[in-house]
Amino acid sequence: MPPNRRVTLKQVAERAEVSRAAASFALSGRPGVSDATRTKVLRIASELGYAPNQVAQNLRSSRTGMVAVYLPEDVSTLSYYMEATFGVIDEAEQSGHTVTLIPHRPTGLNRLQADGIIMLDPTRGDPMIGHLLDLGLPVISGEELPEPSDDDLPRPSSPQSLERSAEVAGLVTSDHAASTVELLEHFVARGARRPGIIASSVPMAWSMTVEATYRQWCADRELNPLVEYASLDGLEETTRRATRNLLDTGTVDAILALADGSALNVITSAAEYGRRVGEDLLVAATVDSPVLSYTDPAVTAVDLRPREFGRRCMSVLSRVLDAADASPDTLAEVVDTEVIYRASTRGTAGDR
Amino acid sequence: MPPNRRVTLKQVAERAEVSRAAASFALSGRPGVSDATRTKVLRIASELGYAPNQVAQNLRSSRTGMVAVYLPEDVSTLSYYMEATFGVIDEAEQSGHTVTLIPHRPTGLNRLQADGIIMLDPTRGDPMIGHLLDLGLPVISGEELPEPSDDDLPRPSSPQSLERSAEVAGLVTSDHAASTVELLEHFVARGARRPGIIASSVPMAWSMTVEATYRQWCADRELNPLVEYASLDGLEETTRRATRNLLDTGTVDAILALADGSALNVITSAAEYGRRVGEDLLVAATVDSPVLSYTDPAVTAVDLRPREFGRRCMSVLSRVLDAADASPDTLAEVVDTEVIYRASTRGTAGDR
DNA sequence: GCCGATCACTTAATCGATTTAGTATGGTCT
DNA sequence: AGACCATACTAAATCGATTAAGTGATCGGC
C-alpha cells in the first residue's frame, strides 16, 4: 500500500496462502501449479502492485541486468550518439535490461557491472577499448573495431585474452561505402564535375571507409582526389583551413563533408568566395544532424538511422546473451541508411 | 584467476583462513579484527583482484546503486544534455552509483530500479514528470519544475502523494536571467539599438525565464519587444519563419536566439536580406553548442557549463541520499554560466 | 488392492555480502 | 583464584527471488 515500501514475493504468497515457491511458479508462468492457484496468485500480485525486485533476481541468476554503452570521448556529432543510445534503451527495455553509460576514464572499471558492452564507433588509439575487451564480457561493436595502431601500448594480457579480444561477439555496421558512392553520383547527376572531400582525421572505421571510398571512386574516374582534413586538435581552426583550402583551388564544384561542423563551415563561408551553395557549389554531409536542416540552404546528408542502429546493437547483444554458450562466430548486421536530399545539392541539372 | 569467474568474498576469506564475516570487517575498515588479520585480508583481496559484488551489496542494503536520469523527449540542443548526463556520470562514479537513462514511454516505469531520479529541463505537459514524481523516490530537478498547466490531466494520486510531488528533493539551476541581461547589454555596448528575440515555444522553465527577462528589459527601456517563436511542431518551418519575420521588420539590429538552430538560420540567411552578421546585425544564442563555433562568423553564446551542471545535480542527490531521513527543505544550487563572446557580436563600437 | 506415476505443492538451499548474536581466549582487578 | 571484561573471531540470519529436492495425495493399470 505505501508506495515507498515495495511489495515482496513473500507478501504475495502469504496473501494467496501458498508458499513462496508456488507463487514464484505461478508468476513466472511455468508448470507446477494448478490453474486455480495461478489465477489467484496473479490477481493478488496485481492487486498489491507486486513488481519483482530485480536486484534479488539478478543476484540469483548471477546477472546484473545491465548493459553498458561506451561512447567515444571526443565527438563532433553528438546527436548521432544520443539517438543511438536511446535506440539501445528502447530495445533494452524489451529484454529487461537497464542501460548504463561507461565513463571515459579507466578508474573503477573493474567495478563495472554489466552483462554485456556496446561500443559505438570505437576509436583507434583509445586505451579504453582494450580495457573493455579484456573484461571478459560479450562486446558488440557499433561500426568495425579498428586495428590497434603500432604506437598503441600492447595490452598486458595473457595469450588467452589476446585471442578473445581479436573477436567481438557481434558487429553492427552501416554501409558507408554505398552511401558515399550514392552522394558522389548524386553530385555528378546534379552537374558537378570535381567533388572534393573534407575528411576527418579521427581514426574511426566509418570515416576511414568514407575517405577510402572517395579515393577509389576518384581513381576509377582518373580524377585527382581533393582531400582536406579537419583534425581533432584545433577542430575549429583545422575545419576552417580545410574549407579555405578546398575553395581556394577554384576547381572544386562539390564538397563532401564528413562532420556536420565542416559542412556548416562550408555553407557559411561560401559567399566570401563568391560561391552559391546549391548552385555552383554543391555540399553534402555523410552524417545527418539536426543543424543541417536549419541552414539556408539546408544540407543534403546521410541519415544513418542512429536510433535503429542502437536498437540493432542491443538486439544482437540480447541474442548473444541468450545463446549463452554456443556462439562460435560473431553475429553481424548491417543497418540501412538513406540519403536525405536537400537544397544544398539542388544543382543546375533540372529538378530534384 | 579466470577473469570470467569473479572473485567472491568467500574465496578471499578461505585463502586468508578467516570467516567471511572477519574478511568483511577487514575490507570495510571497521573495528573487530586485529591489524595483522586486516592487512592479511587486504593483501589477499588485492592479490586475487577481489571486487565486491554490487548486486549482492545492494540486495543486502536494499538499495539499487542506480541513479536514473530523465531527459526531455524533444530536444533541439542535444549537446547540452549529453554533456550534462556525462557530468552526472562523473559525479556518480564518486559515490559508487551507476547511471541509467529513463525511456520516454511510461511502459514499465514500475519496474524502474533506482535510488533517486535526476530530471533535466522538465517540460510542462510531459506526463512522465508526474509519473516520476509519484514514484516516491528523491527527485532532483535540473532547472525549475514548471507549474502543471491547466489542461494536464490531474494525476491519479492520493493527497499524500500530491503533497509530496509539490516538492522536489533538490533543485539545480543556472542564472538565465543574468546571462540574458548580459547578452542584451552586450548588444547595446556593441552598437545595437533594437534587439529582437527568437524564443522557443517549448515550455521549459529556462526558456520562459529568458523570454520574460527580455520582455522586462524592453519594458524598462520603453522598447517594444520584438518576439518571434520557433515551435516544436514544424521546427524547421517555424524557425525559418521567425527569422524571416524579424529580418523583415528592418528595424532589428540584433537577434537573441534561444536555440542553436535558430541562431544558425539567422546566420545563414542574413545575406539574403543584405545584412552582415557581426556588423549591422548582431546575433547571439542563449545556449552554446559546438556548431556555433563552426559558423562564419562564429556565434556569441552562453556557456551553461552543462558538465558542471550535471555534476552538481548528482552531488545534490548524493547529499539527499546520505541525509536519509532528515531533509525538511529542498537543497538548491546555482551553477555559474559564462558568455562566450564571438565574432557575431563584434559590432561597430571599437574592439573587444 | 497394490505399485508406480503424476500432480500440486512445500521445504530448504542458493546467489554474495552484511550484520547480529554468540563463543573462546586472554588479561586485569580484587 | 574467581569474577569480570575487552578483544578477536565464528556461526548464523538476513536481503528477495529462484529452483532442486522432497512430500503427500490422487489416479490409472493390471
Side-chain angles (χ1 to χ4, degrees), chain A:
Chain A
M1 203 76 52
N4 38 9
R5 180 103 74 198
R6 291 191 63 146
V7 179
T8 160
L9 179 65
K10 190 177 162 197
Q11 298 171 31
V12 174
E14 282 168 0
R15 274 287 279 272
E17 295 170 307
V18 292
S19 69
R20 307 209 304 283
S24 177
F25 285 142
L27 286 164
S28 61
R30 61 164 61 187
V33 287
S34 66
D35 284 350
T37 311
R38 165 153 297 139
T39 35
K40 183 176 185 186
V41 169
L42 286 173
R43 182 174 52 77
I44 291 182
S46 90
E47 275 176 21
L48 265 49
Y50 168 74
N53 182 326
Q54 284 187 38
V55 176
Q57 283 182 322
N58 291 334
L59 174 59
R60 185 64 231 265
S61 58
S62 61
R63 299 177 342 121
T64 64
M66 292 192 247
V67 169
V69 172
Y70 183 70
L71 304 177
E73 169 130 39
D74 292 310
V75 288
S76 53
T77 163
L78 290 153
S79 65
Y80 175 83
Y81 297 104
M82 199 69 163
E83 283 289 324
T85 303
F86 272 103
V88 172
I89 293 175
D90 284 346
E91 188 71 24
E93 226 189 325
Q94 308 292 322
S95 55
H97 285 271
T98 347
V99 174
T100 79
L101 294 174
I102 302 178
H104 291 120
R105 286 163 304 176
T107 321
L109 241 197
N110 57 336
R111 266 177 284 147
L112 177 75
Q113 314 256 335
D115 299 328
I117 294 174
I118 294 176
M119 291 182 180
L120 294 180
D121 280 354
T123 312
R124 167 187 298 174
D126 183 347
M128 282 292 287
I129 295 180
H131 292 135
L132 292 173
L133 286 169
D134 280 347
L135 248 36
L137 296 171
V139 174
I140 308 298
S141 184
E143 299 297 332
E144 323 251 351
L145 207 61
E147 309 286 322
S149 57
D150 295 342
D151 55 343
D152 279 352
L153 300 174
R155 265 175 280 135
S157 36
S158 65
Q160 173 200 2
S161 95
L162 267 180
E163 178 197 347
R164 182 184 54 237
S165 52
E167 287 278 320
V168 292
L171 176 63
V172 179
T173 55
S174 301
D175 193 345
H176 295 282
S179 57
T180 300
V181 168
E182 181 174 345
L183 283 176
L184 292 170
E185 295 296 343
H186 176 63
F187 280 157
V188 171
R190 298 284 103 193
R193 325 241 45 181
R194 294 287 279 134
I197 185 174
I198 300 180
S200 157
S201 63
V202 185
M204 295 176 180
W206 69 270
S207 70
M208 300 184 323
T209 300
V210 171
E211 184 184 341
T213 304
Y214 168 78
R215 287 182 184 278
Q216 183 60 48
W217 187 88
C218 286
D220 291 347
R221 279 152 194 75
E222 296 182 352
L223 286 175
N224 208 25
L226 300 169
V227 182
E228 289 292 329
Y229 291 94
S231 83
L232 266 189
D233 296 335
L235 190 50
E236 299 167 28
E237 175 49 32
T238 55
T239 299
R240 289 173 198 283
R241 180 150 38 80
T243 302
R244 200 181 330 124
N245 289 347
L246 273 188
L247 291 176
D248 274 345
T249 65
T251 66
V252 160
D253 54 11
I255 294 181
L256 182 60
L258 262 71
D260 53 358
S262 302
L264 208 58
N265 193 239
V266 174
I267 298 283
T268 56
S269 49
E272 293 180 18
Y273 293 80
R275 309 295 292 264
R276 297 182 61 93
V277 174
E279 302 181 15
D280 61 351
L281 180 65
L282 309 187
V283 178
T286 56
V287 184
D288 196 17
S289 142
V291 301
L292 296 181
S293 55
Y294 297 134
T295 55
D296 194 6
V299 180
T300 291
V302 181
D303 178 4
L304 295 172
R305 302 191 194 283
R307 194 130 188 165
E308 171 68 11
F309 193 92
R311 272 195 287 258
R312 294 283 276 280
C313 288
M314 183 63 221
S315 118
V316 169
L317 180 54
S318 282
R319 260 175 290 154
V320 170
L321 292 177
D322 289 345
D325 43 345
S327 63
D329 34 32
T330 68
L331 300 170
E333 291 203 3
V334 179
V335 176
D336 286 339
T337 64
E338 181 188 12
V339 176
I340 309 287
Y341 296 99
R342 301 200 182 95
S344 70
T345 54
R346 186 184 305 275
T348 52
D351 320 325
R352 168 26 210 231

Side-chain angles (χ1 to χ4, degrees), chain B residues 201-270:
Chain B
S201 63
V202 185
M204 295 177 180
W206 70 270
S207 71
M208 300 185 323
T209 300
V210 171
E211 184 183 342
T213 304
Y214 167 77
R215 287 182 183 279
Q216 183 60 48
W217 186 86
C218 287
D220 290 347
R221 278 153 195 77
E222 297 181 352
L223 287 174
N224 208 26
L226 301 167
V227 183
E228 290 293 330
Y229 292 95
S231 83
L232 266 189
D233 297 335
L235 191 49
E236 299 167 29
E237 175 48 32
T238 55
T239 300
R240 289 174 198 283
R241 180 151 36 82
T243 302
R244 199 181 332 123
N245 289 348
L246 272 189
L247 291 176
D248 275 345
T249 64
T251 66
V252 161
D253 55 10
I255 294 180
L256 182 60
L258 260 72
D260 53 359
S262 302
L264 208 57
N265 194 239
V266 174
I267 298 284
T268 56
S269 50

